[in-house]
PDB file of all heavy atoms in Angstrom:
ATOM      1  N   THR A 110      -1.116  11.113 -11.125  1.00 64.00           N
ATOM      2  CA  THR A 110      -1.254  10.244 -12.281  1.00 64.00           C
ATOM      3  C   THR A 110      -2.072   9.017 -11.929  1.00 64.00           C
ATOM      4  O   THR A 110      -2.225   8.133 -12.734  1.00 64.00           O
ATOM      5  CB  THR A 110       0.118   9.806 -12.826  1.00 64.00           C
ATOM      6  OG1 THR A 110       0.802   9.111 -11.760  1.00 64.00           O
ATOM      7  CG2 THR A 110       0.963  10.988 -13.268  1.00 64.00           C
ATOM      8  N   MET A 111      -2.588   8.953 -10.707  1.00 80.00           N
ATOM      9  CA  MET A 111      -3.319   7.771 -10.285  1.00 80.00           C
ATOM     10  C   MET A 111      -4.830   7.955 -10.436  1.00 80.00           C
ATOM     11  O   MET A 111      -5.358   9.033 -10.361  1.00 80.00           O
ATOM     12  CB  MET A 111      -2.999   7.508  -8.806  1.00 80.00           C
ATOM     13  CG  MET A 111      -1.602   6.979  -8.538  1.00 80.00           C
ATOM     14  SD  MET A 111      -1.145   7.175  -6.815  1.00 80.00           S
ATOM     15  CE  MET A 111      -2.198   5.952  -6.018  1.00 80.00           C
ATOM     16  N   GLU A 112      -5.480   6.830 -10.623  1.00 86.00           N
ATOM     17  CA  GLU A 112      -6.939   6.829 -10.676  1.00 86.00           C
ATOM     18  C   GLU A 112      -7.502   6.979  -9.258  1.00 86.00           C
ATOM     19  O   GLU A 112      -6.834   6.623  -8.304  1.00 86.00           O
ATOM     20  CB  GLU A 112      -7.446   5.495 -11.280  1.00 86.00           C
ATOM     21  CG  GLU A 112      -7.105   5.355 -12.737  1.00 86.00           C
ATOM     22  CD  GLU A 112      -7.860   6.380 -13.605  1.00 86.00           C
ATOM     23  OE1 GLU A 112      -9.028   6.692 -13.294  1.00 86.00           O
ATOM     24  OE2 GLU A 112      -7.246   6.890 -14.548  1.00 86.00           O
ATOM     25  N   ILE A 113      -8.752   7.398  -9.179  1.00 89.00           N
ATOM     26  CA  ILE A 113      -9.409   7.538  -7.870  1.00 89.00           C
ATOM     27  C   ILE A 113      -9.333   6.241  -7.072  1.00 89.00           C
ATOM     28  O   ILE A 113      -9.029   6.234  -5.885  1.00 89.00           O
ATOM     29  CB  ILE A 113     -10.885   7.953  -8.017  1.00 89.00           C
ATOM     30  CG1 ILE A 113     -10.976   9.328  -8.723  1.00 89.00           C
ATOM     31  CG2 ILE A 113     -11.568   8.042  -6.682  1.00 89.00           C
ATOM     32  CD1 ILE A 113     -12.402   9.780  -8.944  1.00 89.00           C
ATOM     33  N   GLU A 114      -9.609   5.126  -7.715  1.00 86.00           N
ATOM     34  CA  GLU A 114      -9.657   3.852  -7.030  1.00 86.00           C
ATOM     35  C   GLU A 114      -8.272   3.490  -6.454  1.00 86.00           C
ATOM     36  O   GLU A 114      -8.194   2.969  -5.331  1.00 86.00           O
ATOM     37  CB  GLU A 114     -10.084   2.697  -7.993  1.00 86.00           C
ATOM     38  CG  GLU A 114     -11.531   2.766  -8.436  1.00 86.00           C
ATOM     39  CD  GLU A 114     -11.737   3.664  -9.649  1.00 86.00           C
ATOM     40  OE1 GLU A 114     -10.816   4.437 -10.005  1.00 86.00           O
ATOM     41  OE2 GLU A 114     -12.841   3.615 -10.240  1.00 86.00           O
ATOM     42  N   ASP A 115      -7.218   3.806  -7.195  1.00 87.00           N
ATOM     43  CA  ASP A 115      -5.873   3.558  -6.725  1.00 87.00           C
ATOM     44  C   ASP A 115      -5.538   4.395  -5.485  1.00 87.00           C
ATOM     45  O   ASP A 115      -4.960   3.938  -4.517  1.00 87.00           O
ATOM     46  CB  ASP A 115      -4.840   3.834  -7.828  1.00 87.00           C
ATOM     47  CG  ASP A 115      -4.944   2.861  -8.981  1.00 87.00           C
ATOM     48  OD1 ASP A 115      -5.249   1.690  -8.717  1.00 87.00           O
ATOM     49  OD2 ASP A 115      -4.722   3.289 -10.102  1.00 87.00           O
ATOM     50  N   ILE A 116      -5.956   5.649  -5.591  1.00 91.00           N
ATOM     51  CA  ILE A 116      -5.701   6.550  -4.456  1.00 91.00           C
ATOM     52  C   ILE A 116      -6.423   6.069  -3.208  1.00 91.00           C
ATOM     53  O   ILE A 116      -5.845   6.034  -2.097  1.00 91.00           O
ATOM     54  CB  ILE A 116      -6.119   8.003  -4.782  1.00 91.00           C
ATOM     55  CG1 ILE A 116      -5.382   8.512  -6.033  1.00 91.00           C
ATOM     56  CG2 ILE A 116      -5.832   8.922  -3.591  1.00 91.00           C
ATOM     57  CD1 ILE A 116      -5.842   9.885  -6.500  1.00 91.00           C
ATOM     58  N   LEU A 117      -7.679   5.668  -3.377  1.00 91.00           N
ATOM     59  CA  LEU A 117      -8.440   5.188  -2.222  1.00 91.00           C
ATOM     60  C   LEU A 117      -7.791   3.952  -1.598  1.00 91.00           C
ATOM     61  O   LEU A 117      -7.767   3.821  -0.379  1.00 91.00           O
ATOM     62  CB  LEU A 117      -9.881   4.870  -2.633  1.00 91.00           C
ATOM     63  CG  LEU A 117     -10.787   6.097  -2.811  1.00 91.00           C
ATOM     64  CD1 LEU A 117     -12.109   5.688  -3.441  1.00 91.00           C
ATOM     65  CD2 LEU A 117     -11.034   6.786  -1.463  1.00 91.00           C
ATOM     66  N   LEU A 118      -7.256   3.072  -2.418  1.00 87.00           N
ATOM     67  CA  LEU A 118      -6.597   1.895  -1.881  1.00 87.00           C
ATOM     68  C   LEU A 118      -5.276   2.253  -1.165  1.00 87.00           C
ATOM     69  O   LEU A 118      -4.962   1.705  -0.123  1.00 87.00           O
ATOM     70  CB  LEU A 118      -6.361   0.831  -2.985  1.00 87.00           C
ATOM     71  CG  LEU A 118      -7.666   0.139  -3.465  1.00 87.00           C
ATOM     72  CD1 LEU A 118      -7.410  -0.675  -4.725  1.00 87.00           C
ATOM     73  CD2 LEU A 118      -8.266  -0.751  -2.396  1.00 87.00           C
ATOM     74  N   GLU A 119      -4.568   3.231  -1.716  1.00 89.00           N
ATOM     75  CA  GLU A 119      -3.378   3.766  -1.026  1.00 89.00           C
ATOM     76  C   GLU A 119      -3.773   4.375   0.323  1.00 89.00           C
ATOM     77  O   GLU A 119      -3.095   4.179   1.331  1.00 89.00           O
ATOM     78  CB  GLU A 119      -2.691   4.854  -1.851  1.00 89.00           C
ATOM     79  CG  GLU A 119      -1.871   4.379  -3.020  1.00 89.00           C
ATOM     80  CD  GLU A 119      -0.595   3.693  -2.591  1.00 89.00           C
ATOM     81  OE1 GLU A 119      -0.043   4.002  -1.515  1.00 89.00           O
ATOM     82  OE2 GLU A 119      -0.148   2.812  -3.344  1.00 89.00           O
ATOM     83  N   MET A 120      -4.848   5.150   0.302  1.00 92.00           N
ATOM     84  CA  MET A 120      -5.339   5.771   1.540  1.00 92.00           C
ATOM     85  C   MET A 120      -5.693   4.714   2.589  1.00 92.00           C
ATOM     86  O   MET A 120      -5.390   4.884   3.781  1.00 92.00           O
ATOM     87  CB  MET A 120      -6.559   6.663   1.251  1.00 92.00           C
ATOM     88  CG  MET A 120      -6.231   7.938   0.493  1.00 92.00           C
ATOM     89  SD  MET A 120      -7.725   8.937   0.200  1.00 92.00           S
ATOM     90  CE  MET A 120      -7.975   9.690   1.835  1.00 92.00           C
ATOM     91  N   LYS A 121      -6.371   3.691   2.104  1.00 90.00           N
ATOM     92  CA  LYS A 121      -6.777   2.585   3.002  1.00 90.00           C
ATOM     93  C   LYS A 121      -5.558   1.979   3.690  1.00 90.00           C
ATOM     94  O   LYS A 121      -5.449   1.882   4.901  1.00 90.00           O
ATOM     95  CB  LYS A 121      -7.532   1.530   2.198  1.00 90.00           C
ATOM     96  CG  LYS A 121      -7.704   0.226   2.900  1.00 90.00           C
ATOM     97  CD  LYS A 121      -8.092  -0.895   1.943  1.00 90.00           C
ATOM     98  CE  LYS A 121      -7.883  -2.239   2.583  1.00 90.00           C
ATOM     99  NZ  LYS A 121      -6.491  -2.599   2.824  1.00 90.00           N
ATOM    100  N   ASP A 122      -4.551   1.581   2.859  1.00 88.00           N
ATOM    101  CA  ASP A 122      -3.318   0.977   3.404  1.00 88.00           C
ATOM    102  C   ASP A 122      -2.635   1.937   4.368  1.00 88.00           C
ATOM    103  O   ASP A 122      -2.152   1.523   5.437  1.00 88.00           O
ATOM    104  CB  ASP A 122      -2.343   0.604   2.278  1.00 88.00           C
ATOM    105  CG  ASP A 122      -2.783  -0.651   1.527  1.00 88.00           C
ATOM    106  OD1 ASP A 122      -3.686  -1.343   2.018  1.00 88.00           O
ATOM    107  OD2 ASP A 122      -2.188  -0.925   0.476  1.00 88.00           O
ATOM    108  N   THR A 123      -2.578   3.192   3.972  1.00 92.00           N
ATOM    109  CA  THR A 123      -1.854   4.179   4.831  1.00 92.00           C
ATOM    110  C   THR A 123      -2.574   4.387   6.163  1.00 92.00           C
ATOM    111  O   THR A 123      -1.948   4.469   7.216  1.00 92.00           O
ATOM    112  CB  THR A 123      -1.715   5.509   4.066  1.00 92.00           C
ATOM    113  OG1 THR A 123      -1.084   5.248   2.814  1.00 92.00           O
ATOM    114  CG2 THR A 123      -0.896   6.511   4.859  1.00 92.00           C
ATOM    115  N   SER A 124      -3.904   4.452   6.098  1.00 93.00           N
ATOM    116  CA  SER A 124      -4.663   4.672   7.366  1.00 93.00           C
ATOM    117  C   SER A 124      -4.505   3.472   8.278  1.00 93.00           C
ATOM    118  O   SER A 124      -4.407   3.632   9.506  1.00 93.00           O
ATOM    119  CB  SER A 124      -6.120   4.991   7.068  1.00 93.00           C
ATOM    120  OG  SER A 124      -6.777   3.826   6.552  1.00 93.00           O
ATOM    121  N   GLU A 125      -4.498   2.270   7.700  1.00 91.00           N
ATOM    122  CA  GLU A 125      -4.284   1.075   8.527  1.00 91.00           C
ATOM    123  C   GLU A 125      -2.920   1.115   9.198  1.00 91.00           C
ATOM    124  O   GLU A 125      -2.753   0.815  10.382  1.00 91.00           O
ATOM    125  CB  GLU A 125      -4.443  -0.187   7.691  1.00 91.00           C
ATOM    126  CG  GLU A 125      -5.894  -0.514   7.359  1.00 91.00           C
ATOM    127  CD  GLU A 125      -6.020  -1.777   6.505  1.00 91.00           C
ATOM    128  OE1 GLU A 125      -5.249  -1.955   5.569  1.00 91.00           O
ATOM    129  OE2 GLU A 125      -6.922  -2.561   6.796  1.00 91.00           O
ATOM    130  N   LEU A 126      -1.935   1.475   8.405  1.00 91.00           N
ATOM    131  CA  LEU A 126      -0.563   1.610   8.943  1.00 91.00           C
ATOM    132  C   LEU A 126      -0.517   2.650  10.053  1.00 91.00           C
ATOM    133  O   LEU A 126       0.098   2.456  11.095  1.00 91.00           O
ATOM    134  CB  LEU A 126       0.414   1.957   7.816  1.00 91.00           C
ATOM    135  CG  LEU A 126       1.878   2.144   8.244  1.00 91.00           C
ATOM    136  CD1 LEU A 126       2.475   0.829   8.719  1.00 91.00           C
ATOM    137  CD2 LEU A 126       2.718   2.708   7.088  1.00 91.00           C
ATOM    138  N   MET A 127      -1.218   3.776   9.817  1.00 94.00           N
ATOM    139  CA  MET A 127      -1.216   4.860  10.792  1.00 94.00           C
ATOM    140  C   MET A 127      -1.804   4.418  12.137  1.00 94.00           C
ATOM    141  O   MET A 127      -1.290   4.719  13.211  1.00 94.00           O
ATOM    142  CB  MET A 127      -1.970   6.072  10.278  1.00 94.00           C
ATOM    143  CG  MET A 127      -1.203   6.818   9.204  1.00 94.00           C
ATOM    144  SD  MET A 127      -2.209   8.150   8.460  1.00 94.00           S
ATOM    145  CE  MET A 127      -2.246   9.367   9.806  1.00 94.00           C
TER     146      MET A 127
END
Side-chain angles (χ1 to χ4, degrees):
Chain A
T110 58
M111 288 163 70
E112 292 295 322
I113 298 179
E114 292 86 347
D115 292 326
I116 302 175
L117 283 170
L118 289 169
E119 283 289 331
M120 289 180 77
K121 167 196 164 293
D122 284 349
T123 305
S124 68
E125 285 179 317
L126 179 66
M127 287 173 73

